[in-house]
């Protein structure tokens, strides 16, 4: 190419043309290379099958470099196999070439990497007959390669005699092999990577599934745990309430070996209230600290029994912090809690029960006593009634006799009269008491002339003393002056009955001496004191002498008639008059009773 107007000689022009041809060839080589390498890149991107890929590449280089035969083989330890081949003269069956590589060629190739052999040196049998006549093999280039899928491979290029210079420069073939094996390697790696990726993905998926499953399980477990926790919380609160709100004191003791309390583990509010100790104080105490001194010895045998039976009950006396005591019934159970041996003790304050128990015993004793008194009363009554009746009947029979003296008749009539009056008194007492008990007797408050009443009573006592042959006994009626002819508001019948009963008793139980009735006004109260110098009442009877049917039965009183109702009637009537009757004193020197009623003076 003429670049400027400079004049060139023929020689210079020839050189110039040769240079340009060279440049042209080089450019053409570069173009070929570019085409080939582009083709390789595209093929690798578009063809996935190894065999087809190599075939396409071999075809391309065969066309570009005008070489008739090329193939790719894999050398095994003892043989080799064709991976792919291309023959420009082949009809498509790929069997135009039957490479026969001698062992020494392979060995040489493996040590050198690239081998160029003239076809004269190669066994003529390397090519099949059917293609032999179509080209004249000139040179064979063998390039050894190594990739991840073909460990020991060889690219074989065969040139035609008409294209002798094609293998002068092996750059393009080496590059071809390098790029192909590189690409192959990369492809293999990519495939491997893909496989790894896929396997990884599979593993990740499997792991994710497993993790999701585990997660779900975990979630469910957490849910269950939360539910259980919630239920446990409710249960805990419930039991805490039960424990704290219980009326009985509850203690939880940890035991150390047999029959030895180690420490208090828990107490409830009732224990604090029952004993007066604080929570902290109780937590530092043992059951023995709660028991009164004399009972501490019972603890050891109780714990030993508990160790055997696992449950036990005991009644002990507990002492409060302030020193006061109270009876408790302690129910205990032995069991294992968290590998520890513990005793649950429930202590109930049984003060009320004990009181009720004592009251019941009292009531029972009273009922028994009442029953005994009733029986004795009945026995007594039958005697008391029969004796005067017998006398009445007997002496009435006797009085009918014809030959009786007048004085005898009079004596018998007296006896009959006395016994009748005694019987009448007896029946009166019984009837009065029954009426009072049944609530039929009601007081009627009227003005009563006390002086008049006292005079009347005196006459009665005198008559009684006479009847009992006790006229030697002195009667003293001592009345305060201010009461002289005074009217007092009360029930005369009932007042008279009380005083009569007390005076009658004095007459009955006095053999000698005197009977005194003293009346006075003491602090707005009208007081009567009836005293005698009789046999007296033994001390042990003082408290119960006003109870019905109670009588002193000894040799002194044996023959004295009575019902045991007189004082009981006095007591009831005095109450009706809003007053009080009391035994003031009684000894062998005599007895004195007092009757006190409200003093209501009346003008009429
Ligand atoms: P009684 O009908 O037996 O006299 P009371 O109820 O009047 O019954 O008296 C109960 C008992 O008290 C009598 O049985 C007697 O033993 C005793 N007693 C009552 N008054 C006197 C008294 N003044 N002196 C001695 N003993 C008395």
């Amino acid at each position: 190419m003429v670049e400027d107007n400079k004049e060139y000689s023929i020689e210079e022009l020839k050189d110039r043309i040769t240079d340009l041809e060279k440049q042209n060839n080089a450019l053409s080589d570069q173009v070929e290379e570019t085409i080939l390498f582009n083709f390789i890149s595209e093929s690798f991107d578009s063809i996935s099958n190894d065999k087809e890929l190599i075939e396409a590449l071999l075809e391309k280089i065969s066309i570009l470099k005008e070489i008739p035969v090329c193939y790719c083989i894999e050398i095994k330890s003892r043989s080799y196999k064709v991976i792919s081949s291309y023959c420009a003269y082949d009809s498509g069956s790929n069997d135009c070439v039957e490479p026969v590589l001698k062992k020494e060629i392979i060995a040489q190739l493996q040590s050198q990497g690239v081998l160029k052999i003239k076809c004269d040196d190669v066994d003529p049998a390397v090519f099949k007959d059917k293609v032999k006549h179509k080209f004249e093999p000139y040179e064979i280039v063998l390039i050894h390669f190594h990739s991840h899928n073909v460990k020991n491979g060889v690219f074989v290029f065969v040139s035609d005699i008409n294209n002798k210079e094609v293998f002068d420069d092996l750059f393009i073939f080496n590059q071809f092999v390098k790029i192909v094996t590189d690409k192959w390697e990369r492809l293999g790696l990519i495939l491997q990577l893909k496989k790894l990726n896929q396997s990884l993905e599979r593993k990740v998926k499997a792991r994710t599934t497993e993790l999701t499953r585990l997660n779900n399980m975990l979630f469910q477990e957490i849910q269950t745990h939360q539910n259980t926790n919630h239920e446990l919380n409710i249960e805990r609160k419930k039991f805490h309430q039960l424990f704290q709100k219980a009326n009985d004191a509850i203690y939880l003791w940890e035991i150390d070996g047999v029959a030895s309390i180690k420490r208090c583990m828990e107490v409830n509010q009732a224990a604090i209230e029952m004993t007066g100790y604080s929570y902290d104080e109780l937590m530092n105490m043992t059951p023995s600290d709660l028991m009164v001194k004399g009972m501490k010895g019972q603890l050891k045998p109780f714990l030993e029994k508990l160790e055997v039976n696992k449950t036990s009950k005991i009644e002990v006396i507990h002492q409060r912090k302030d020193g006061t005591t109270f009876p408790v019934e302690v129910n205990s159970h032995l069991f294992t809690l968290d590998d520890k041996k513990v005793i649950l003790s429930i202590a109930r304050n049984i003060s009320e029960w004990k009181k009720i128990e004592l009251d019941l015993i009292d009531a029972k004793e009273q009922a028994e006593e009442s029953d005994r008194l009733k029986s004795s009363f009945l026995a007594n009554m039958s005697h008391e009634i029969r004796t005067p009746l017998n006398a009445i009947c007997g002496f009435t029979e006797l009085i009918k006799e014809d030959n009786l003296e007048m004085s005898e008749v009079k004596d018998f009539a007296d006896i009959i009269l006395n016994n009748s009056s005694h019987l009448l008194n007896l029946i009166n007492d019984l009837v009065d008491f029954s009426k009072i008990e049944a609530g039929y007797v009601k007081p009627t408050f009227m003005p009563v002339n006390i002086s008049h009443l006292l005079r009347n009573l005196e006459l009665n006592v005198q008559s009684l003393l006479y009847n009992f042959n006790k006229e030697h006994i002195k009667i003293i009626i001592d009345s305060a002056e201010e009461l002289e002819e005074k009217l007092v508001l009360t029930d005369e019948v009932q007042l008279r009955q009380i005083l009569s009963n007390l005076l009658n008793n004095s007459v009955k139980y006095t053999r000698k001496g005197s009977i005194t009735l003293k009346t006075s006004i003491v602090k707005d109260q009208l007081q009567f004191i009836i005293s005698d110098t009789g046999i007296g009442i033994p001390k042990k009877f003082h408290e119960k002498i006003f109870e019905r049917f109670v009588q002193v039965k000894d040799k002194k009183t044996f023959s004295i008639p009575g019902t045991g109702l007189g004082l009981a009637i006095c007591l009831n009537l005095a109450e009706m008059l809003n007053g009080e009757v009391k035994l003031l004193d009684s000894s062998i020197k005599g007895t004195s009773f007092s009757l006190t009623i409200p003093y209501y003076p009346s003008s009429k």
Side-chain angles (χ1 to χ4, degrees), residues 401-589:
E401 298 274 328
D402 297 333
N403 52 351
L404 286 179
E405 301 257 333
M406 200 51 208
S407 59
E408 281 177 325
V409 174
K410 194 175 170 282
D411 284 350
F412 292 168
D414 280 346
I415 292 169
I416 292 167
L417 196 68
N418 279 343
N419 280 291
S420 304
S421 119
H422 174 62
L423 199 59
L424 189 67
N425 283 340
L426 193 72
I427 290 164
N428 277 343
D429 269 2
L430 280 173
V431 172
D432 286 350
F433 186 74
S434 303
K435 272 166 45 183
I436 292 167
E437 285 259 292
Y440 287 132
V441 180
K442 298 272 183 258
T444 313
F445 289 87
M446 300 279 282
V448 178
N449 187 323
I450 296 299
S451 310
H452 186 257
L453 175 73
L454 294 178
R455 273 198 298 278
N456 218 284
L457 284 168
E458 189 182 358
L459 286 174
N460 280 351
V461 174
Q462 269 171 354
S463 139
L464 213 58
L465 285 171
Y466 174 78
N467 286 344
F468 276 101
N469 286 327
K470 291 183 179 178
E471 286 146 300
H472 54 279
I473 294 172
K474 206 172 157 196
I475 311 166
I476 304 164
I477 304 291
D478 176 7
S479 179
E481 271 182 30
E482 67 258 45
L483 279 170
E484 205 58 45
E485 299 308 321
K486 273 273 167 64
L487 293 178
V488 174
L489 207 60
T490 187
D491 183 308
E492 187 175 357
V493 179
Q494 291 174 5
L495 179 62
R496 181 191 294 272
Q497 190 167 356
I498 298 168
L499 294 172
S500 291
N501 279 359
L502 294 171
L503 287 166
N504 287 356
N505 277 349
S506 288
V507 173
K508 279 200 289 183
Y509 300 107
T510 306
R511 292 194 195 112
K512 55 182 180 182
S514 60
I515 295 169
T516 309
L517 170 59
K518 189 177 172 203
T519 310
S520 57
I521 298 164
V522 183
K523 292 181 190 166
D524 297 337
Q525 297 281 313
L526 187 56
Q527 190 183 60
F528 302 90
I529 294 177
I530 302 95
S531 40
D532 61 52
T533 53
I535 57 171
I537 301 168
K539 195 136 185 111
K540 61 175 179 177
F541 282 91
H542 284 196
E543 276 199 4
K544 52 180 183 178
I545 203 70
F546 286 97
E547 289 173 25
R548 54 197 181 150
F549 309 127
V550 173
Q551 288 179 299
V552 180
K553 281 288 170 207
D554 55 21
K555 54 181 184 209
K556 284 190 209 164
T557 59
F558 179 72
S559 58
I560 301 171
T563 56
L565 289 172
L567 290 182
I569 292 170
C570 290
L571 193 78
N572 284 313
L573 292 177
E575 261 175 35
M576 264 181 228
L577 298 181
N578 304 318
E580 193 184 24
V581 63
K582 280 200 287 190
L583 173 67
L584 290 180
D585 190 26
S586 188
S587 67
I588 46 165
K589 287 182 184 167

Side-chain angles (χ1 to χ4, degrees), residues 36 39-40 43-44 47-62 70-74 82-87 94 145 147 149-150 154-157 176-177 179-185 187:
L36 182 65
F39 183 74
I40 292 170
S43 304
F44 266 95
I47 306 171
S48 56
N49 180 300
D50 269 4
K51 196 167 153 44
E52 279 176 23
L53 178 75
I54 298 299
E55 252 176 46
L57 297 176
L58 290 176
E59 182 184 359
K60 198 72 182 172
I61 197 161
S62 162
C70 41
Y71 51 96
C72 176
I73 61 174
E74 182 175 16
V82 175
I83 297 170
S84 194
S85 64
Y86 179 77
C87 178
N94 278 345
F145 72 92
S147 76
N149 51 346
V150 183
V154 183
F155 271 104
V156 182
F157 304 100
F176 170 80
V177 173
I179 292 171
V180 169
T181 49
D182 275 1
K183 284 266 185 190
W184 221 347
E185 188 76 359
L187 200 71

Side-chain angles (χ1 to χ4, degrees), residues 218-235:
L218 206 69
F219 181 74
Q220 272 177 5
E221 256 176 45
I222 289 172
Q223 199 75 27
T224 318
H225 187 73
Q226 276 178 349
N227 287 347
T228 317
N229 236 6
H230 181 67
E231 277 165 21
L232 269 175
N233 246 346
I234 292 175
E235 288 295 300

